Amino acid sequence: MSIAVFASGSGSNFQALVEASRAEDWPEPIRLLVCDRPGARVLERAEKLGVPSLLVDPKEFSSKADYEAEILARLRREGIRRLVLAGYMRLIGPTLLDAYRWRIVNIHPSLLPAFPGKDAVGQALDYGVKWTGVTVHFVDEGMDTGPIIAQEPVRVDEGDDRASLTRKIQAVEHRLYPSVILDWISGRIKEPAGR
Ligand code: GAR
């Protein structure tokens, strides 16, 4: 019984999760990083943290189903029970969704349903909202549409730019995500009913 984290980029949330998972009361280990982007910084972080990684480049597969089947085979071999998306910039397809129904969660840097998809921070700045935030949600077939588990607001201050707002949002993410994942794996969050 263990967790795989999926990430495509820098991996600061991956690192926060791995560090939190080393506390004594953390019940399910993070056993694998799955990454879809050769050269992503998260791969270096995994190596430093001693977490095995699986790099699968979707460009090497003719379909999303084949790409995900390759990942699924490894997840099964490792006995992975839950998937935690942390900056994984790709829609999860039916192969993984069917195998892990309601056992996949994602973090998104906005108060969903506002600003789904890519560049949520840029979208919030362009719109001129005074508050944005962070959402953790179960993953379904849509883009950032699954049932919401937790949200926390972040104020957009006068003079905030992409860099400063990203810093504030990520500070919240690095605290919120490990605590929500701990609640989830400890059985304190129920899977969505009737969906
Ligand atoms: C995080 O802010 C995460 O919320 C966001 O990507 C960033 C990854 O940062 N995810 C999305 O936008 C998903 N739609 P990290 O690689 O440093 O953890």
Side-chain angles (χ1 to χ4, degrees):
M1 303 273 239
S2 51
I3 297 170
V5 177
F6 282 46
S8 308
S10 147
S12 68
N13 279 284
F14 165 75
Q15 180 161 346
L17 287 162
V18 171
E19 285 169 355
S21 77
R22 293 186 169 158
E24 247 175 50
D25 63 342
W26 188 278
E28 276 180 40
I30 295 172
R31 275 233 213 285
L32 186 68
L33 166 74
V34 176
C35 179
D36 61 335
R37 229 174 255 175
R41 175 146 178 243
V42 68
L43 292 163
E44 273 168 50
R45 292 195 202 246
E47 196 173 342
K48 281 205 187 109
L49 290 160
V51 177
S53 56
L54 170 67
L55 171 63
V56 187
D57 186 346
K59 290 198 198 91
E60 288 170 13
F61 296 83
S62 56
S63 70
K64 185 168 201 128
D66 287 351
Y67 161 71
E68 288 196 341
E70 172 88 9
I71 295 173
L72 183 57
R74 175 74 181 268
L75 297 177
R76 291 213 158 116
R77 271 205 305 280
E78 306 263 349
I80 300 291
R81 199 170 117 89
R82 306 175 202 256
L83 312 185
V84 172
L85 312 187
Y88 180 66
M89 303 310 265
R90 199 168 285 284
L91 213 53
I92 298 287
T95 305
L96 288 174
L97 272 179
D98 291 348
Y100 285 91
R101 178 57 73 175
W102 304 137
R103 283 186 287 138
I104 313 175
V105 301
N106 181 44
I107 190 161
H108 185 77
S110 75
L111 293 176
L112 289 171
F115 313 132
K118 288 196 175 134
D119 193 21
V121 174
Q123 292 184 60
L125 286 168
D126 289 347
Y127 200 95
V129 292
K130 302 293 182 199
W131 288 88
T132 183
V134 175
T135 303
V136 180
H137 64 95
F138 286 108
V139 171
D140 65 9
E141 41 288 302
M143 168 84 79
D144 303 319
T145 54
I148 290 172
I149 301 168
Q151 290 188 302
E152 196 170 311
V154 172
R155 209 165 100 147
V156 185
D157 294 306
E158 196 101 349
D160 260 336
D161 58 13
R162 183 184 294 267
S164 62
L165 186 54
T166 299
R167 267 197 305 279
K168 289 196 291 189
I169 286 178
Q170 291 214 334
V172 171
E173 291 187 331
H174 298 162
R175 174 173 45 71
L176 183 68
Y177 212 16
S179 99
V180 171
I181 298 301
L182 179 59
D183 281 347
W184 185 38
I185 63 186
S186 306
R188 293 192 284 272
I189 293 170
K190 295 291 161 245
E191 71 172 41
R195 302 214 10 171

